[in-house]
């Protein structure tokens, strides 16, 4: 069972994050020249990166919409509908006429579709994480969650490889005509495959929420989550360090290396590829460590490692020696992945079953929107602040994550019996509760 869950988690997560990171990977080389050419090459690339970041705005909104659907109807319905929306939006981008054909309407449509895609991502991650971690053995939930998180790095790998392959394989005329569309259309295919994987899996999701043991009307999932705003904000803060370091490492370093250090994009993409591979291993390892040491210690470990590496990271990058740049990116990728690998299980266990989809989705995407959006802004300022400002930004994000983790309880089940007792305390019977329900301490 665990092997099937690990494989499903990695495949689903890879397809999802490929579609998201494709925007960032394609922004300077593809979206800027084809949709924002009127601003000039340099400004067009910057505007394209900004366009790639607009999805952060709608991800929390999607978390609310699909979270409520997942908590009141079913996990499967919310996940399938968000996957369908995400696949449709990315295919439409692949079919979108460029600025040369539509003029100023083209970038407006591009931004609109990116916003829709962000809305879909807001529902996908939580549905994906819950469908796997709730069905995992209680003492292996961290490892399963680590495979879900490892798909983020896999998606980044595929996105960068797809963009680099298409820009290298076609001449300029062919690429601008139709070659650039292939990675986006492939993203739609991947999400269709993800839908099929979900559709053919046995229906192992939890039963509908059981009635509250107390008399009175039960609150909806959104209201339940917002009754504890402190826990929601602290849970969102668990994402700060990993998200900030990931976006600066994978997106920012490549653009900084090309524009300021005059390094070959192919070499830098190779470095990002290695960093992402290390990130997959780090996420899985972080999830496994979370099953042994606990969720909170591993999150803190990853944040502290990221803070310690913040200044050495840029010192090595600024040598402009591609071997040192690659090494620096790989260490940063490992540090950010360790704590990130523990987050899926941690968030799942921080919220009760009746509001878990809403709570995990909103916490995850609020953290991503704040940290990832700030990192995107930092990326735009990398040429000016590479030696100081961005390093302090990463240290600040790490400090916030440590403080948030300290403010949250440890949720790791001590034993299978401990997990069963926790389910009884939540008012559900052992037979009707999902095997992955978590202790609430």
């Amino acid at each position: 069972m665990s092997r099937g869950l690990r494989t499903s988690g990695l495949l689903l997560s890879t397809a999802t994050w490929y579609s998201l990171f494709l925007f960032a990977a394609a922004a300077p080389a593809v979206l800027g020249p084809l949709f924002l050419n009127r601003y000039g090459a340099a400004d067009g690339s910057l505007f394209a990166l900004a366009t790639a970041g607009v999805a952060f705005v709608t991800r929390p909104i999607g978390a609310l919409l699909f979270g409520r659907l997942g908590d009141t109807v079913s996990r499967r319905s919310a996940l399938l509908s968000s996957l369908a929306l995400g696949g449709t939006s990315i295919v439409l981008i692949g079919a979108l006429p460029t600025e040369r054909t539509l003029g100023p309407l083209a970038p407006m449509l591009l931004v609109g579709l990116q916003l829709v895609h962000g809305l879909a991502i807001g529902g996908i991650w939580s549905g994906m994480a819950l469908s796997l971690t709730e069905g995992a053995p209680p003492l292996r939930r961290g490892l399963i969650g680590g495979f879900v998180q490892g798909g983020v790095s896999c998606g980044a790998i595929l996105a960068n490889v797809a963009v680099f392959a298409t820009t290298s394989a076609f001449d300029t005329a062919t690429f601008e005509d139709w070659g650039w569309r292939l990675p986006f259309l492939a993203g739609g295919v991947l999400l269709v495959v993800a839908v099929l994987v979900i559709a053919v899996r046995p229906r192992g999701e939890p039963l509908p929420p059981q009635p509250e043991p107390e008399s009175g009307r039960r609150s909806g999932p959104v209201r339940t989550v917002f009754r504890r705003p402190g826990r929601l904000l602290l849970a969102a803060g668990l994402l700060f360090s990993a998200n900030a370091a990931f976006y600066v490492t994978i997106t920012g370093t490549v653009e900084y290396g090309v524009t300021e250090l005059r390094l070959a994009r192919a070499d830098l993409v190779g470095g990002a590829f290695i960093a992402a591979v290390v990130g997959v291993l780090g996420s899985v390892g972080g999830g496994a460590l979370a099953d042994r040491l606990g969720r909170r210690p591993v999150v803190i470990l990853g944040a502290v490692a990221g803070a310690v590496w913040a200044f050495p990271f840029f010192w090595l990058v600024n040598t402009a020696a591609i071997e040192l740049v690659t090494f620096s990116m790989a260490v940063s990728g490992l540090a950010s992945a360790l704590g990130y690998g523990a987050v899926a299980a941690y968030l799942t266990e921080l919220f009760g079953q009746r509001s878990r989809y809403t709570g995990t989705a909103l916490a995850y995407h609020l953290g991503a929107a704040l940290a990832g959006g700030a990192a995107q802004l930092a990326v735009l300022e990398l040429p000016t602040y590479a030696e100081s400002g961005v390093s302090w930004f990463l240290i600040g994000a790490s400090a916030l994550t440590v403080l948030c983790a300290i403010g949250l309880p440890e949720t790791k089940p001590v034993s299978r019996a401990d997990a069963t007792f926790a389910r009884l305390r939540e008012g559900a019977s052992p037979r009707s509760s999902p095997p992955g329900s978590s202790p609430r301490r």
Side-chain angles (χ1 to χ4, degrees):
M1 176 181 176
S2 293
R3 181 175 298 177
L5 288 173
R6 292 196 297 266
T7 303
S8 297
L10 195 59
L11 289 175
L12 290 172
S13 187
T14 298
T16 299
W17 296 111
Y18 167 85
S19 68
L20 181 67
F21 289 123
L22 187 58
F23 290 98
V30 180
L31 301 181
L34 294 176
F35 288 89
L36 297 159
N37 192 49
R38 65 178 58 216
Y39 299 104
D43 289 341
S45 295
L46 292 178
F47 284 135
L49 280 172
T51 299
V54 299
F56 286 114
V57 176
T58 51
R59 282 168 65 174
I61 300 173
L64 286 173
L65 294 176
F66 290 105
R68 188 179 188 283
L69 178 64
D71 284 324
T72 58
V73 180
S74 74
R75 309 281 198 250
R76 184 183 294 254
S77 297
L79 180 55
L80 287 176
S81 57
S82 56
L83 281 169
L85 183 63
T88 302
S89 61
I90 197 168
V91 167
L92 289 176
I93 288 175
L96 189 64
T98 62
E99 186 182 44
R100 186 172 56 185
T101 303
L102 289 183
L105 182 60
M108 293 174 61
L109 291 174
L110 178 66
V111 171
L113 288 171
Q114 173 69 323
L115 290 171
V116 171
H117 192 73
L119 198 73
I121 294 295
I124 293 175
W125 180 86
S126 192
M128 181 172 52
L130 294 185
S131 69
L132 297 166
T133 56
E134 285 186 329
L139 302 184
R140 304 284 283 175
R141 195 180 295 132
L143 176 62
I144 300 302
F147 274 89
V148 173
Q149 302 301 77
V152 176
S153 294
C154 287
I157 292 170
L158 286 182
N160 280 282
V161 168
V163 172
F164 179 73
T166 51
T167 54
S168 303
F170 301 108
D171 58 71
T172 303
T174 304
F175 177 79
E176 292 182 354
D177 185 27
W178 58 269
W180 69 272
R181 304 179 186 277
L182 296 180
F184 291 92
L185 298 177
V189 172
L190 284 175
L191 288 178
V192 168
V193 172
V195 169
L196 293 177
V197 169
I198 291 294
V200 301
R201 278 189 65 219
R203 291 180 176 267
E205 66 176 53
L207 294 175
Q210 302 297 312
E212 296 281 359
E214 302 85 8
S215 60
R217 189 175 61 180
R218 190 176 70 217
S219 298
V222 176
R223 182 176 297 179
T224 300
V225 169
F226 280 107
R227 278 180 176 172
R228 304 184 72 180
R231 170 159 293 198
L232 176 63
L233 293 176
L234 290 174
L238 298 175
L239 279 299
F240 273 56
S241 177
N243 270 276
F246 182 86
Y247 282 103
V248 169
T249 301
I250 299 298
T251 303
T253 305
V254 173
E255 292 313 309
Y256 175 67
V258 171
T259 58
E260 296 297 312
L261 303 179
R262 306 303 183 204
L263 296 174
R265 183 176 292 274
D267 292 337
L268 290 164
V269 170
F273 178 88
I274 292 173
V277 171
V278 172
V280 176
L281 300 177
S283 294
V284 175
L289 276 177
D291 283 329
R292 297 178 63 86
L293 305 178
R295 304 354 179 175
R296 185 168 55 184
V298 177
V299 170
I300 292 174
L301 174 64
V304 170
V308 169
W309 192 244
F311 275 97
F313 173 79
F314 285 113
W315 292 339
L316 292 179
V317 168
N318 282 331
T319 64
I322 193 61
E323 296 83 5
L324 294 179
V325 174
T326 300
F327 174 76
S328 182
M329 295 170 73
V331 174
S332 181
L334 176 63
S336 66
L338 280 175
Y340 191 68
V343 164
Y346 204 177
L347 291 183
T348 298
E349 295 162 346
L350 283 172
F351 296 94
Q353 179 182 332
R354 296 177 181 88
S355 60
R356 186 171 290 150
Y357 203 123
T358 303
T360 56
L362 194 55
Y364 186 92
H365 293 292
L366 277 176
L370 294 173
Q376 294 280 19
L377 292 176
V379 164
L380 297 179
E381 298 297 330
L382 272 173
T384 303
Y385 297 111
E387 295 185 16
S388 58
V390 176
S391 295
W392 285 114
F393 164 72
L394 293 175
I395 290 172
S398 296
L400 281 172
T401 291
V402 170
L403 292 175
C404 289
I406 291 173
L408 289 168
E410 175 57 58
T411 61
K412 173 183 174 291
V414 177
S415 65
R416 293 182 185 276
D418 177 60
T420 302
F421 177 71
R423 292 200 297 274
L424 291 172
R425 284 188 305 177
E426 286 188 329
S429 68
R431 292 184 180 180
S432 64
S433 297
S437 288
S438 59
R440 296 172 64 195
R441 304 176 182 175

